[in-house]
């Protein structure tokens, strides 16, 4: 299982395709704060709620200097369907190989109804302008999480 990030760590670099297949890198956002959130699957109830929450609060977050990137193991085609169906405004990136998920400590052992399996750990990492981890939140809930982030960031 990969190590969880801690505040002060350098955020692992990544380049992944977005819903349209365009490559997006963390380094594209240097000098700006970025909220990178990891979710299990597009078009599922919890992940839809979370993505809609981020979209609904995007103006507020952007006004405070934050950009939002959502990463899941879905393929770009599924992300495009998700974005279009839910009118999402956040950047959605595809990580089907789970390399970025693992480098951020957002993929590992999970337990559900007594069963242990490998999967995406719903997580949010706030990266500062220098590319360092400002906040690292793991095992977050889909519902109410965005409100908590806004509160934690003092927005």
């Amino acid at each position: 299982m990969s190590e969880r990030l801690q505040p002060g760590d350098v955020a692992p670099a990544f380049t992944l395709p977005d819903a349209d297949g365009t490559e997006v890198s963390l380094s594209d956002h240097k000098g700006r704060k970025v909220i990178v959130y990891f979710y299990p699957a597009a078009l599922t109830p919890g992940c839809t709620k979370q993505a809609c929450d981020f979209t609904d609060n995007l103006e507020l977050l952007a006004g405070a200097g934050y950009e939002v990137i959502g990463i899941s193991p879905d393929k770009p085609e599924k992300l495009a369907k998700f974005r279009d169906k839910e009118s999402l405004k956040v950047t959605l990136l595809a990580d089907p190989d789970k390399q970025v998920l693992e480098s951020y400590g957002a993929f590992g052992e999970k337990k559900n109804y007594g069963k242990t399996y490998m999967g995406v750990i719903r997580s949010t990492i706030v990266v500062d302008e220098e590319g360092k981890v400002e906040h690292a939140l793991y095992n977050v809930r889909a519902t109410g999480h965005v409100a908590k982030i806004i509160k934690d960031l003092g927005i």
Side-chain angles (χ1 to χ4, degrees), residues 41-74:
L43 300 166
T44 57
C47 298
T48 298
K49 172 86 181 97
Q50 189 177 21
C52 288
D53 268 0
F54 271 117
T55 293
D56 293 346
N57 288 287
L58 202 56
E59 237 173 77
L60 177 69
L61 291 164
Y66 291 91
E67 296 181 21
V68 179
I69 296 174
I71 299 177
S72 74
D74 299 303

Side-chain angles (χ1 to χ4, degrees), residues 100-126:
V100 176
L101 284 154
E102 287 185 11
S103 70
Y104 275 77
F107 188 84
E109 208 172 84
K110 295 174 70 167
K111 283 184 176 31
N112 199 8
Y113 301 113
K115 293 215 184 322
T116 301
Y117 61 99
M118 296 300 281
V120 176
I121 297 161
R122 194 181 300 276
S123 313
T124 301
I125 310 298
V126 180

Side-chain angles (χ1 to χ4, degrees), residues 26-34 65 67 128-131:
L26 181 62
S27 59
D28 298 342
H29 301 274
K30 192 115 174 107
R32 296 183 295 241
K33 293 181 180 201
V34 186
E67 296 181 21
D128 70 12
E129 302 90 338
E130 302 299 313

Side-chain angles (χ1 to χ4, degrees), residues 72-89:
S72 74
D74 299 303
K75 296 204 173 341
E77 303 77 41
K78 187 173 178 190
L79 296 179
K81 207 178 287 182
F82 186 34
R83 177 194 62 204
D84 298 344
K85 180 177 188 266
E86 302 298 339
S87 304
L88 300 174
K89 304 243 181 306

